[in-house]
Amino acid sequence: MKIYHESDADISFLKGKTVAVIGYGSQGSAQALCMRDSGVKVIIGETEKLENSENPSWKRAKEDGFEVYNIGDAASKADIVHILLPDEFHGPVYKAEIEKHMTKGKALCCSHGFNIVYKEIVPPADVDVIMVAPKAPATEERKAYLAGFGVPGLFAVAQDGTGKAEQVALAMCKAMGFTRAGVLKCTFEQETYEDLFGEQNVLCGGTVDLIKYGFEVLTEAGYPPEMAYFEVLHELKLIVDLVFERGIQGMNAVISNTAEFGEYYNGPKIIDPSVKDRMRESLKLIENGEFAKTWLAEARAGKPNLLKKRADWAKHPIEIVGKEIRSLFEKK
Ligand code: NAI
Ligand code: MG
């Protein structure tokens, strides 16, 4: 894959253009602040009230010195409409407030391809449809930008209405510092499917269950929960940091020979090849739209299952002991 760097991107493609960042949450605030610091004209589209109470994001955007409009007004004033709302709201908000402002020559942008890929949003043919996405959480993105660098990113073009869609997407990547680290070009489908696969099978689903079962087996056998917490959660970060910095062999070179032998001896009994069959099944449900259908139906029903799981987790002993331990060991 080609990696795009500083010299491949030109911020002047954003000159004279207004970017409306729709949604001033985690990504919205980080991306808007970085682009503004790079000299791009950025306005914010938000809702003053969410579920009948004050929306803190509206207030925060004002405090950060942005012009803040309701979503429709921001979309009408903008050349580039960059939607950074939670994914489950893109479709309904687009239809209600943004669609009528997507006139010829504008660009519709996002940081996750979900709603374009699953056709929750179907933009008119004469606009650009682009994606610029950091490969990092928002906090890291802003920190790296302020340190004079940037996090790696992805960009994609689903539709080139103006003939300049790629240059505009790259200019946005540059304005957020991504091209300092390096940016990969992909398709909307690749980003969406890989992102969902990763979070469901390894990063969130997968890892969280492994931690949970490890903790439960130790504590049910009578081992102290505080120690179990350190073994299966706290130390996981240290191991993942090593893998991140040095690769798997590099991590194995640092741990003890006993730990490395144990990894080969027991790892494949815990995560056996049948896991791959279930991962393939998951990939199929992502690619054929079945997962998206299930998630959007859940979101529209008020997220009953998600809220139930959240409430269950709040009661789990690893969360209770974890909170205590983190407060005891934090820097005072
Ligand atoms: P978020 O959860 O921080 O929410 C963004 C803002 O949307 C909120 O501040 C709120 O003011 C507004 N909002 C919430 N519900 C709304 C509604 N019903 N109507 C109108 N406005 C509403 O969102 P986050 O996590 O920043 O995600 C935004 C986009 O960025 C998503 O497409 C996500 O997939 C993508 N993304 C997020 C990453 C992350 O680190 N959180 C990483 C990469 C991509
Ligand atoms: Mg992801």
Side-chain angles (χ1 to χ4, degrees):
M1 274 180 113
K2 179 172 173 184
I3 301 178
Y4 293 73
H5 289 289
E6 288 288 271
S7 60
D8 300 307
D10 182 355
I11 293 191
S12 72
F13 281 97
L14 300 176
K15 215 169 144 205
K17 291 192 194 291
T18 299
V19 179
V21 167
I22 310 295
Y24 200 72
S26 312
Q27 282 298 327
S29 58
Q31 295 194 25
L33 289 165
C34 295
M35 284 192 281
R36 184 176 69 183
D37 288 352
S38 295
V40 179
K41 163 93 174 146
V42 181
I43 61 173
I44 306 300
E46 259 293 0
T47 37
E48 210 168 343
K49 297 223 148 107
L50 263 183
E51 288 158 6
N52 294 323
S53 38
E54 300 289 318
N55 178 2
S57 303
W58 172 280
K59 201 163 151 244
R60 205 172 133 219
K62 290 223 148 162
E63 284 165 2
D64 288 345
F66 284 104
E67 290 172 33
V68 186
Y69 301 96
N70 71 47
I71 293 173
D73 288 343
S76 92
K77 287 176 193 297
D79 303 287
I80 298 165
V81 181
H82 190 18
I83 307 184
L84 292 172
L85 300 168
D87 296 302
E88 64 275 25
F89 297 117
H90 289 211
V93 171
Y94 178 83
K95 281 175 206 110
E97 303 186 61
I98 298 174
E99 188 163 37
K100 52 182 168 293
H101 303 297
M102 290 314 299
T103 47
K104 185 173 163 45
K106 287 197 181 189
L108 188 69
C109 187
C110 57
S111 286
H112 181 31
F114 190 99
N115 287 283
I116 296 293
V117 168
Y118 296 117
K119 302 205 164 33
E120 287 298 296
I121 292 179
V122 183
D126 52 6
V127 305
D128 292 343
V129 180
I130 56 181
M131 171 170 46
V132 295
K135 280 285 102 188
T139 42
E140 287 309 304
E141 185 184 337
R142 183 64 181 150
K143 210 159 72 190
Y145 180 92
L146 288 173
F149 199 58
V151 295
L154 296 176
F155 82 95
V157 175
Q159 197 172 285
D160 188 1
T162 64
K164 300 247 164 53
E166 177 160 327
Q167 286 92 328
V168 169
L170 277 167
M172 289 175 74
C173 289
K174 189 169 188 170
M176 294 190 273
F178 304 163
T179 45
R180 293 201 190 110
V183 173
L184 294 171
K185 182 181 181 180
C186 62
T187 66
F188 268 60
E189 285 76 12
Q190 286 168 340
E191 183 275 337
T192 301
Y193 298 159
E194 286 198 325
D195 191 70
L196 293 172
F197 180 86
E199 64 204 21
Q200 290 179 28
N201 290 278
V202 180
L203 307 176
C204 312
T207 298
V208 161
D209 301 286
L210 206 56
I211 294 172
K212 180 179 175 224
Y213 289 139
F215 180 86
E216 287 175 358
V217 166
L218 282 172
T219 52
E220 283 162 14
Y223 290 94
E226 292 79 3
M227 283 174 69
Y229 175 88
F230 272 109
E231 284 312 326
V232 304
L233 193 153
H234 182 93
E235 283 199 44
L236 179 64
K237 183 204 182 312
L238 311 178
I239 293 295
V240 171
D241 283 348
L242 285 170
V243 172
F244 179 85
E245 283 155 19
R246 307 161 189 229
I248 287 164
Q249 289 184 82
M251 179 273 291
N252 280 333
V254 174
I255 62 177
S256 67
N257 290 336
T258 312
E260 187 183 359
F261 179 73
E263 170 189 323
Y264 306 140
Y265 173 79
N266 193 57
K269 293 186 212 160
I270 298 299
I271 307 289
D272 70 25
S274 72
V275 168
K276 283 178 74 179
D277 294 334
R278 295 190 290 280
M279 285 183 168
R280 283 190 197 97
E281 180 60 22
S282 152
L283 184 59
K284 208 170 76 198
L285 299 180
I286 289 167
E287 289 173 345
N288 69 15
E290 204 43 49
F291 166 75
K293 212 164 82 192
T294 306
W295 164 224
L296 290 172
E298 163 81 7
R300 266 149 221 171
K303 309 189 181 88
N305 296 297
L306 184 140
L307 296 176
K308 166 85 173 59
K309 292 280 178 202
R310 242 183 228 172
D312 290 348
W313 264 115
K315 288 182 262 165
H316 194 283
I318 197 171
E319 285 295 280
I320 294 164
V321 78
K323 214 178 265 172
E324 282 164 26
I325 288 180
R326 287 190 297 272
S327 75
L328 289 175
F329 287 85
E330 79 194 357
K331 240 198 216 146
K332 292 269 164 29

